[in-house]
Amino acid sequence: MKALILVGGFGTRLRPLTLSFPKPLVDFANKPMILHQIEALKAIGVTEVVLAINYQPEVMLNFLKDFETKLGIKITCSQETEPLGTAGPLALARDKLIDDSGEPFFVLNSDVISEYPLKEMIEFHKGHGGEASIMVTKVDEPSKYGVVVMEEKTGQVDKFVEKPKLFVGNKINAGIYLLNPSVLDRIELRPTSIEKEVFPNIAAEKKLFAMVLPGFWMDIGQPRDYISGLRLYLDSLRKKSSSKLASGSQIVGNVIVDETAKIGEGCLIGPDVAIGPGCIIEQGVRLKSCTVMRGVRVKKHACISSSIIGWHSTVGQWARVDNMTILGEDVHVCDEIYSNGGVVLPHKEIKSNILKPEIVM
């Protein structure tokens, strides 16, 4: 069985982190975002993953070569020379996706984090006998999204309504699809949208079915949602395999700590914190709702909340970093500095307070 992951473009919403790495390689809960998906696909028997990409394919492939061997799964790239939207990449990768088996293939958006109930999706797809299955998730504010209107009992999709003014339903496209190879015959090799062009045509023929995603879902392509996604992910980990979470007198709530990280005395860590490989957290530090990536040093009595600290950065003694501060790679915040929502580009030193959310070039 095969799968295509829509990797796409420049990851501008997650800058400055994506100035150092392509977005799918940015760490989420201590491993690259895309690895969560590849591991889930491997677990249900997918043997080949195709990455649809138009930006830095060499970096991606070099990085993923290690995992290809570790996971025993083939990873290839299909490179766009121009942006092809969300459907064009399928036409471009057609030869990689089609084989003699006639089996359906998965398509995933690379920003989506969930419990990936892919096995259940295969059973759902076989059960309805249609041409395509999409995963949908319930949201509180459907007016911000494209809503999927469907038959509750069978899951048959009736239509899509983009950002509805009046309530038509609360289920939105979750960016996980299972498609028969025949769907590729509907897609031309040009910039085109699977959500706005391809799926409505399949729905009109009553061959598109939607399965409601159990568990959590989040598009983590921007900082606020990344932090929310971490909370949901760690909560799910607590229910499924709590042994992966840290415990001890310094830990509050759900926290994941790489085994190579060092935490000093008198710290209070959590809830909803990820501490990456090789990090050094000195004594008396307070961390909550944040990600501290590989190689970061947080000095004595610093406080970090609702923020993302990029690779190999330093947060000084008694510094305070909060309100969606994002530090790019190798940023150094001096002692006793306050950052209120600063977005700091890589390789900077911060010597004065950032009193309101702003970008530091």
Side-chain angles (χ1 to χ4, degrees):
M1 202 171 184
K2 298 186 178 183
L4 178 98
I5 300 179
L6 294 164
V7 172
F10 302 110
T12 48
R13 296 180 304 162
L14 260 191
R15 282 181 183 161
L17 301 170
T18 48
L19 296 173
S20 300
F21 291 91
K23 183 173 57 180
L25 299 185
V26 169
D27 296 317
F28 176 82
N30 290 353
K31 59 184 162 191
M33 284 185 195
I34 201 165
L35 204 55
H36 292 273
Q37 299 185 329
I38 293 173
E39 286 176 352
L41 290 164
K42 165 69 181 171
I44 51 107
V46 168
T47 53
E48 183 175 348
V49 175
V50 181
L51 308 177
I53 190 167
N54 61 22
Y55 176 59
Q56 293 186 320
E58 317 76 28
V59 181
M60 287 283 291
L61 275 181
N62 290 342
F63 186 87
L64 291 167
K65 276 286 169 260
D66 296 346
F67 293 106
E68 212 178 24
T69 320
K70 267 185 212 161
L71 296 172
I73 189 168
K74 186 178 176 190
I75 302 171
T76 58
C77 268
S78 169
Q79 190 184 359
E80 305 164 34
T81 50
E82 60 168 335
L84 290 172
T86 50
L90 277 73
L92 186 66
R94 181 190 177 104
D95 294 344
K96 292 178 187 282
L97 292 171
I98 286 192
D99 55 23
D100 302 334
S101 71
E103 278 190 308
F105 58 89
F106 282 101
V107 177
L108 287 84
N109 286 343
S110 68
D111 292 355
V112 166
I113 198 88
S114 75
E115 287 171 9
Y116 305 116
L118 305 177
K119 191 160 172 277
E120 295 85 333
M121 196 175 191
I122 294 171
E123 286 161 14
F124 173 76
H125 187 75
K126 284 177 181 164
H128 64 64
E131 195 173 2
S133 299
I134 68 172
M135 203 82 89
V136 294
T137 185
K138 293 178 182 175
V139 292
D140 296 333
E141 287 186 61
S143 60
K144 294 189 337 197
Y145 303 92
V147 172
V148 180
V149 181
M150 57 189 270
E151 165 63 49
E152 289 297 326
K153 279 203 178 99
T154 62
Q156 187 175 310
V157 175
D158 176 33
K159 60 182 177 179
F160 296 81
V161 183
E162 193 58 38
K163 297 184 178 170
K165 295 279 185 286
L166 298 170
F167 184 84
V168 291
N170 66 344
K171 297 178 189 73
I172 65 163
N173 177 351
I176 302 171
Y177 319 130
L178 187 55
L179 312 177
N180 285 354
S182 58
V183 171
L184 294 170
D185 299 332
R186 299 173 176 270
I187 304 171
E188 296 172 28
L189 183 50
R190 61 178 176 85
T192 169
S193 162
I194 200 164
E195 300 87 354
K196 292 178 182 164
E197 295 176 60
V198 181
F199 286 157
N201 291 340
I202 303 175
E205 295 175 24
K206 305 202 180 312
K207 291 180 179 175
L208 180 67
F209 291 79
M211 171 182 157
V212 179
L213 178 81
F216 79 98
W217 175 89
M218 185 58 74
D219 175 334
I220 56 172
Q222 52 192 358
R224 196 169 293 280
D225 296 336
Y226 177 107
I227 296 285
S228 300
L230 182 65
R231 176 177 56 78
L232 296 169
Y233 173 84
L234 293 176
D235 196 43
S236 162
L237 209 56
R238 166 75 63 199
K239 292 172 188 148
K240 290 197 154 183
S241 50
S242 61
S243 60
K244 291 181 180 173
L245 294 172
S247 58
S249 59
Q250 299 177 299
I251 304 294
V252 182
N254 299 332
V255 174
I256 190 166
V257 179
D258 186 88
E259 58 189 13
T260 61
K262 292 184 169 60
I263 298 178
E265 291 178 9
C267 292
L268 191 57
I269 312 287
D272 309 319
V273 171
I275 298 175
C279 289
I280 296 172
I281 311 298
E282 295 184 4
Q283 68 196 55
V285 165
R286 177 72 178 108
L287 303 178
K288 64 176 180 180
S289 301
C290 65
T291 285
V292 180
M293 292 184 180
R294 183 178 63 252
V296 164
R297 179 182 282 265
V298 182
K299 294 187 177 176
K300 295 173 191 171
H301 307 293
C303 176
I304 302 171
S305 67
S306 303
S307 296
I308 303 173
I309 310 300
W311 309 270
H312 305 291
S313 292
T314 308
V315 176
Q317 295 182 39
W318 296 99
R320 185 173 158 204
V321 172
D322 64 21
N323 190 23
M324 290 297 145
T325 290
I326 316 292
L327 305 186
E329 182 183 16
D330 180 40
V331 168
H332 301 284
V333 176
C334 293
D335 294 351
E336 300 180 23
I337 289 295
Y338 173 48
S339 171
N340 174 23
V343 174
V344 185
L345 273 64
H347 315 298
K348 297 281 169 206
E349 187 174 23
I350 302 299
K351 294 178 178 174
S352 55
N353 293 335
I354 301 169
L355 297 175
K356 61 180 195 299
E358 62 176 296
I359 295 169
V360 180
M361 305 290 275

